[in-house]
Amino acid sequence: MPAVGGPATEIADPTGATGKNDYHCRDMKSFKYLTKIIAAALALGATATLTLAAQVGQPAPDFTLTDIDGNTHSLSDFKGKTVVLEWMNQECPFVVKHYEKSGNLPATQRAATADGVIWLVINSGRPGAQGDFSAEKVREWSKKQNTAYTAYFRDQDGKVGRLYDAKTTPHMYVINPEGTLVYNGAIDSIRSANAADIAKAENYVTSALAAVKAGQPVKTPATQAYGCTVKY
């Protein structure tokens, strides 16, 4: 196709049309058609981004999962409540830091849920991956760790994990009662697997929950999550 605005090129036409105007008209129609295709593709891409990407300051993408007790929950069921999403892999050393070695995350869960927060734990590991615990094993582990989450989900096809672009375990999200994502990132401010660092770190989830409760903007709405990669 000739460049837009350039001279039309005469080419032998099997239909018998040889005039420059015939080809210029045909070229312009092709250009307009191509432009429409490109515009539609760009619009579709933009729509997909808006629908799928979990972005701070934007509505949190809805999802539906069945918990380990067979109960189906949608994020939209909890509209009007603050929600925490926590990505899980029980065998990850960084998760062990915040559970077995310190009790930090169970304590954070207990404080949050006692204040009416909904806490949803999601394991997006593929079947057979590290930390892909059966429902029975999750219950045993949870009892031993004295957890206080609202529900635990096995997202084995990784759809919800990818929807939220969950990268590590743990990876934390806070959603306010209006359904807006207000925090995305690490559990705290010290990126290590050393439980001794917890006392010196800022718990970003606790800080975000306090801000939401006070009706204030979250001071640090996004941080880089740290931990083991999610085993999609």
Side-chain angles (χ1 to χ4, degrees), residues 74-217:
S74 295
L75 179 64
S76 54
D77 294 341
F78 304 112
K79 192 73 176 288
K81 292 183 177 292
T82 301
V83 177
V84 173
L85 306 181
E86 172 192 350
W87 258 262
M88 170 62 67
N89 168 1
Q90 289 91 333
E91 295 177 322
C92 167
F94 295 91
V95 173
V96 171
K97 165 192 173 180
H98 290 286
Y99 279 88
E100 285 93 330
K101 289 187 176 181
S102 66
N104 181 49
L105 265 167
T108 305
Q109 292 169 359
R110 285 193 297 274
T113 55
D115 207 25
V117 172
I118 301 298
W119 194 293
L120 307 179
V121 176
I122 302 173
N123 188 326
S124 293
R126 65 187 179 277
Q130 180 192 56
D132 176 37
F133 284 11
S134 66
E136 182 180 355
K137 195 171 181 179
V138 170
R139 292 188 195 97
E140 292 173 357
W141 176 87
S142 299
K143 184 177 180 180
K144 186 175 180 181
Q145 302 306 321
N146 197 23
T147 60
Y149 54 73
T150 306
Y152 184 109
F153 305 103
R154 299 175 73 198
D155 174 42
Q156 291 184 297
D157 60 10
K159 286 183 179 178
V160 178
R162 292 186 175 93
L163 180 66
Y164 276 79
D165 196 24
K167 298 182 181 302
T168 65
T169 51
H171 193 152
M172 312 298 300
Y173 301 80
V174 177
I175 301 162
N176 71 13
E178 289 72 43
T180 300
L181 183 65
V182 295
Y183 178 72
N184 173 354
I187 176 62
D188 64 20
S189 59
I190 299 182
R191 300 166 58 81
S192 83
N194 185 356
D197 289 331
I198 292 173
K200 300 174 285 184
E202 177 187 357
N203 187 317
Y204 288 130
V205 173
T206 298
S207 296
L209 292 175
V212 170
K213 184 177 181 179
Q216 300 295 322

Side-chain angles (χ1 to χ4, degrees), residues 29-95:
K29 287 181 179 178
S30 298
F31 175 75
K32 289 178 180 178
Y33 179 70
L34 181 60
T35 301
K36 288 180 179 179
I37 291 176
I38 293 172
L42 290 173
L44 180 61
T47 301
T49 299
L50 290 173
T51 301
L52 297 180
Q55 300 178 17
V56 170
Q58 298 297 321
D62 196 16
F63 61 85
T64 301
L65 285 172
T66 301
D67 68 23
I68 58 171
D69 296 317
N71 302 308
T72 300
H73 304 270
S74 295
L75 179 64
S76 54
D77 294 341
F78 304 112
K79 192 73 176 288
K81 292 183 177 292
T82 301
V83 177
V84 173
L85 306 181
E86 172 192 350
W87 258 262
M88 170 62 67
N89 168 1
Q90 289 91 333
E91 295 177 322
C92 167
F94 295 91
V95 173

